[in-house]
Amino acid sequence: MKDFLIIGHGLAGAILSHNLLEQGFTVEVLDQPSNNHSSSVAAGLYNPVTGRKMVKTWAADHLFPFLEPYYKKLEAQLGASFLRPIGIYRPFFSYEDQNDWDMKQSEESYKPFISKIHKKGIESYDLHDEYGGLQLAQSGYVKIPDLLEANKKSLVQENSYQEAYFNPDKLEKTNAGFNYMGNDYKAVIYCNGLRVLQTDHFGWLPMKGVKGEVLEAKTAHQPETILNRGVFILPTDHDTTRIGSNYQNQFEDLLPSKKGQQEILDKLQKLSRAKYEILNTVAGVRPATKDRRPIIGKHPEYEHIYVFNGFGSKGVSLIPYFAQQFTAFLKENQPLWDEVNVSRFYSSYDSQ
Ligand SMILES: Cc1cc2nc3c(=O)[nH]c(=O)nc-3n(C[C@H](O)[C@H](O)[C@H](O)COP(=O)(O)OP(=O)(O)OC[C@H]3O[C@@H](n4cnc5c(N)ncnc54)[C@H](O)[C@@H]3O)c2cc1C
């Protein structure tokens, strides 16, 4: 009998399964890959200071000191290379913006996230950055598909991975836990992104999909860092660049759209003067939550049924920290933060 049946091998299922194995648990991961699940489309940015108003993201002081060391260790353990800690450059909107950041440089709470304040534009980037810009520290991107491939390889070696669709109707309760297709498990964890809403166990969660698109393009000079204001321009290991993204709460299908592409190109023009040849567009849906916080913990009624989900647009920065917290919860009953605990939604669960 294995300890955990994990449904889904996106970034959440991959990192959680790795942590559980490391802590001595046995797992079986079931995944039915698709081209437009969130992890296969995501640009993989991690950015401690976001939004037009450029404020620290939620829980940044906890998440970011943990993040790069976690991914570096994971690279060493999996024998793969997927972390690109290349920083983010965000042009200022005005001299006032520049002054604000000049002041913030001396604030203890912002210092760790500032690498440099540029008082003048950086010519070689060909941007609209006449007021200079902010070079952020503790930022970059993770090549999520490469991480998933390496983790899958390691799970296969441990005999802990199956490429298969999980059919909730085939899950049977037993005295010791669960039986699924002839195999016994002590517990089940749903890491299946938005498709958790198609299950009876967690179909009641207040989650929704937010569609987004990413363009793949060619340009004459790849920047050495990520450029970001309104849209990001991400240099890759190859000679292409990734540009994105947009946020659509209402959508009819999961296909890339002309409208979405145009929205990104309009914002790109406000950031960059360079010419881009668009090669391809990909689209996916983020597993977002009503209150923009992850949803983690145990089912309100059924013992040994868990969820680790709802990472929205920030899976890369949220998942390592909360996978560690959730592993300690499962192993030693350590508390989960109230803000991420699924128990905050128990009142919406109707057991009838
Ligand atoms: C356009 C776009 C850009 C993004 N950019 C960023 C970014 O720059 N930085 C960032 O941090 N985040 C970004 N994100 C968000 C990021 O992708 C998510 O936060 C994260 O990948 C969610 O991972 P997940 O494992 O929870 O879900 P998913 O990636 O959705 O993985 C769920 C997995 O479960 C599988 N599954 C579902 N149901 C079943 C079943 N019944 N049986 C078997 N398998 C099943 C799916 O096939 C999939 O493999 C972006 C998302 C999009 C769409």
Side-chain angles (χ1 to χ4, degrees):
M1 176 186 283
K2 287 194 173 178
D3 293 315
F4 294 106
L5 176 63
I6 295 179
I7 320 299
H9 187 256
L11 195 60
I15 289 187
L16 184 65
S17 62
H18 178 85
N19 285 13
L20 288 170
L21 283 170
E22 201 178 35
Q23 290 301 315
F25 291 107
T26 48
V27 306
E28 185 74 24
V29 180
L30 289 194
D31 188 62
Q32 188 194 36
S34 75
N35 290 337
N36 52 17
H37 73 81
S38 201
S39 302
S40 63
V41 171
L45 262 72
Y46 56 96
N47 181 359
V49 181
T50 58
R52 194 181 158 86
K53 291 198 173 150
M54 291 291 281
V55 287
K56 269 200 292 184
T57 64
W58 174 71
D61 296 329
H62 294 273
L63 307 180
F64 282 80
F66 186 80
L67 195 150
E68 287 179 354
Y70 179 87
Y71 285 113
K72 275 184 195 150
K73 187 171 156 213
L74 188 61
E75 285 188 323
Q77 287 169 326
L78 297 176
S81 164
F82 39 75
L83 176 70
R84 298 290 178 271
I86 58 173
I88 296 178
Y89 176 70
R90 190 271 199 179
F92 294 128
F93 283 111
S94 61
Y95 284 123
E96 200 187 352
D97 198 10
Q98 186 194 95
N99 284 342
D100 284 352
W101 279 96
D102 230 2
M103 312 260 274
K104 278 198 178 123
Q105 250 189 126
S106 51
E107 286 177 26
E108 284 307 319
S109 70
Y110 273 92
K111 242 187 207 168
F113 301 116
I114 300 174
S115 170
K116 188 173 177 181
I117 305 278
H118 292 266
K119 300 273 171 101
K120 287 187 188 152
I122 303 173
E123 262 175 42
S124 56
Y125 289 169
D126 217 358
L127 299 177
H128 297 291
D129 66 339
E130 51 277 30
Y131 306 106
L134 168 67
Q135 184 70 43
L136 285 161
Q138 300 194 48
S139 54
Y141 75 101
V142 170
K143 294 171 73 183
I144 302 178
D146 291 14
L147 183 158
L148 296 183
E149 199 47 48
N151 197 61
K152 177 175 155 183
K153 205 169 138 199
S154 151
L155 288 171
V156 169
Q157 275 165 5
E158 302 252 354
N159 217 3
S160 301
Y161 180 92
Q162 286 178 50
E163 196 167 296
Y165 170 73
F166 169 75
N167 180 351
D169 298 339
K170 301 253 159 85
L171 186 71
E172 289 165 21
K173 183 87 193 84
T174 62
N175 287 339
F178 301 92
N179 185 280
Y180 184 72
M181 309 283 275
N183 296 312
D184 290 317
Y185 303 96
K186 289 185 190 159
V188 178
I189 309 177
Y190 286 97
C191 298
N192 52 344
L194 212 57
R195 284 206 260 158
V196 76
L197 295 179
Q198 292 167 9
T199 67
D200 285 343
H201 285 133
F202 288 110
W204 49 276
L205 288 174
M207 287 177 63
K208 64 177 171 110
V210 178
K211 185 177 167 184
E213 284 146 298
V214 177
L215 314 183
E216 284 172 29
K218 259 198 171 171
T219 186
H221 304 289
Q222 285 249 43
E224 279 160 16
T225 186
I226 297 165
L227 311 172
N228 191 15
R229 194 182 63 192
V231 283
F232 60 76
I233 302 172
L234 187 100
T236 68
D237 291 352
H238 312 288
D239 61 349
T240 54
T241 303
R242 301 192 81 196
I243 305 167
S245 178
N246 55 355
Y247 295 82
Q248 298 166 46
N249 290 308
Q250 314 284 341
F251 50 91
E252 276 157 21
D253 56 44
L254 303 181
L255 300 170
S257 65
K258 278 262 170 267
K259 192 174 159 232
Q261 193 186 80
Q262 195 54 51
E263 201 185 323
I264 295 170
L265 290 175
D266 289 347
K267 286 187 182 164
L268 176 66
Q269 271 194 352
K270 291 185 186 152
L271 172 62
S272 172
R273 274 186 274 263
K275 293 239 175 306
Y276 290 89
E277 180 198 346
I278 307 304
L279 305 173
N280 190 23
T281 309
V282 290
V285 182
R286 305 168 180 90
T289 62
K290 191 173 121 189
D291 61 3
R292 296 174 174 218
R293 300 287 176 260
I295 298 183
I296 306 170
K298 60 190 208 136
H299 192 276
E301 185 177 0
Y302 302 115
E303 283 293 309
H304 311 304
I305 297 271
Y306 300 95
V307 64
F308 184 68
N309 210 318
F311 296 100
S313 59
K314 299 205 167 100
V316 170
S317 32
L318 294 167
I319 291 170
Y321 187 84
F322 288 108
Q324 179 190 251
Q325 191 174 105
F326 189 38
T327 301
F329 170 85
L330 294 168
K331 191 175 180 189
E332 294 149 0
N333 209 17
Q334 295 281 327
L336 294 169
W337 285 9
D338 290 344
E339 280 163 290
V340 303
N341 198 323
V342 62
S343 62
R344 71 194 189 277
F345 299 123
Y346 280 178
S347 61
S348 3
Y349 175 68
D350 179 359
S351 61
Q352 297 313 302

